[in-house]
Amino acid sequence: MNEVLDRAQALATESFIASTGPGGQNVNKVATACQLRLDCYALRLSPEVFARLKELAGSRMTLRGELVFTARRFRTQEANRADARERMVELLTEAHKFPEKRAKSRLNRIGKEQRIKGKKLRGSVKAGRGKVSFD
């Protein structure tokens, strides 16, 4: 896991683009938003982890397998760069977590009998709702 994160940090490319949001006239002059791109195929992930990453990433993953993070919350390039890298690490960490297997619920005999009794009761209520014949 750590080697994947190290490889991701090394393979990530950053570019700075014009930002919107807080900053006043500064946003019109300085490119403070950070756009971080990461080629997922170069990470050489296992198929299960890649499938989870693709599902978690959603529209952040391009058709060429690149993850794109755009950070523009802060007024400085350094803060936005750190934010984008942090979000990348969180997503990769979440993709490496295996989902827990669901344990089957087990009903005892009394629980089964109560469930069947409830179903019979609902059936009898519904059976009483039909057309009324005046014979």
Side-chain angles (χ1 to χ4, degrees):
M1 173 66 199
N2 286 334
E3 66 244 8
V4 171
L5 291 177
D6 293 339
R7 204 174 323 132
Q9 294 282 356
L11 291 171
T13 58
E14 298 167 344
S15 59
F16 293 97
I17 55 177
S19 180
T20 60
Q25 289 300 310
N26 192 48
V27 297
N28 299 330
K29 297 185 292 187
V30 182
T32 55
C34 179
Q35 190 175 60
L36 185 112
R37 291 181 171 270
L38 174 67
D39 185 11
C40 294
Y41 296 126
L43 290 177
R44 290 180 252 128
L45 300 170
S46 66
E48 303 89 27
V49 174
F50 183 77
R52 267 196 305 280
L53 179 65
K54 192 172 179 181
E55 184 180 323
L56 287 170
S59 63
R60 286 179 289 200
M61 186 178 279
T62 64
L63 292 175
R64 292 187 301 178
E66 278 188 330
L67 277 175
V68 180
F69 297 93
T70 305
R72 56 173 51 123
R73 262 194 296 189
F74 303 102
R75 290 179 60 153
T76 62
Q77 282 185 351
E78 293 79 22
N80 284 328
R81 174 189 285 145
D83 184 39
R85 286 190 174 270
E86 185 179 311
R87 289 184 3 218
M88 176 187 66
V89 168
E90 285 175 6
L91 187 69
L92 288 172
T93 306
E94 190 66 30
H96 275 83
K97 289 182 184 173
F98 287 94
E100 293 181 14
K101 292 238 176 186
R102 184 183 163 276
K104 284 186 178 179
S105 58
R106 296 179 56 180
L107 280 177
N108 55 14
R109 180 182 53 83
I110 295 170
K112 285 181 186 175
E113 289 173 2
Q114 286 177 347
R115 184 177 64 87
I116 298 296
K117 191 165 39 169
K119 286 170 73 92
K120 293 276 188 195
L121 183 66
R122 287 300 301 160
S124 64
V125 167
K126 289 181 178 184
R129 296 180 187 154
K131 285 188 175 181
V132 179
S133 62
F134 299 107
D135 290 338

